[in-house]
Amino acid sequence: MMRPIASVGVENIGLEQIEGVLAQQREYAEFLERHGLTKAGGDILLRVAWSLANGKKPCVTDICLLVDYPRTTALRYIAMLEEQALIQRERDVHDRRRWLVNLTPKGSTAIQRHLRTS
């Protein structure tokens, strides 16, 4: 005979909160699918947008640190996003060793559409 699973502490969790999180996850998955992105690619695109919205044009190293993926993985996805014309890299005029990352108009439009539907 199976014992029922105890529901300790669930009385403090609102059903609406859980449904809201699940809805956000579905919307994010749809956004990724619409643009042919993996989760890693979507995370990088959002971090670039987040940095720009905070008034900072991020460099490639900043993005690698923000997404907390191995550097090689982040660099691979940055290259893929650039191939899809969602972001662009440009040399930092003050430090030629650094590459800055910016959204393209296509990338900006994709993020804006996603945020409007979220």
Side-chain angles (χ1 to χ4, degrees):
M1 180 172 179
M2 292 184 69
R3 293 186 334 200
I5 297 173
S7 55
V8 177
V10 294
E11 63 277 354
N12 295 326
I13 301 172
L15 182 59
E16 289 179 16
Q17 291 172 306
I18 294 169
E19 289 173 344
V21 169
L22 292 172
Q24 287 175 340
Q25 288 177 334
R26 272 192 308 276
E27 289 165 2
Y28 188 58
E30 289 168 4
F31 164 73
L32 295 175
E33 187 175 324
R34 244 189 333 272
H35 295 286
L37 299 173
T38 62
K39 183 180 178 315
D43 291 350
I44 289 170
L45 190 62
L46 285 172
R47 287 300 184 169
V48 171
W50 178 83
S51 294
L52 294 168
N54 278 298
K56 182 177 183 201
K57 191 179 261 189
C59 69
V60 169
T61 302
D62 294 337
I63 297 303
C64 290
L65 293 171
L66 284 170
V67 294
D68 198 29
Y69 291 122
R71 185 173 173 81
T72 54
T73 301
L75 290 171
R76 184 173 60 249
Y77 283 102
I78 288 170
M80 289 170 59
L81 292 169
E82 195 169 29
E83 287 174 17
Q84 292 176 286
L86 294 167
I87 64 171
Q88 62 185 22
R89 287 184 275 190
E90 58 191 54
R91 285 255 186 224
D92 184 337
V93 295
H94 302 293
D95 184 348
R96 303 291 295 162
R97 297 170 296 173
R98 289 173 21 122
W99 286 90
L100 300 175
V101 182
N102 202 357
L103 292 175
T104 62
K106 180 181 175 183
S108 181
T109 299
I111 291 291
Q112 288 175 30
R113 283 184 183 154
H114 173 60
L115 295 176
R116 275 197 299 267
T117 60
S118 303

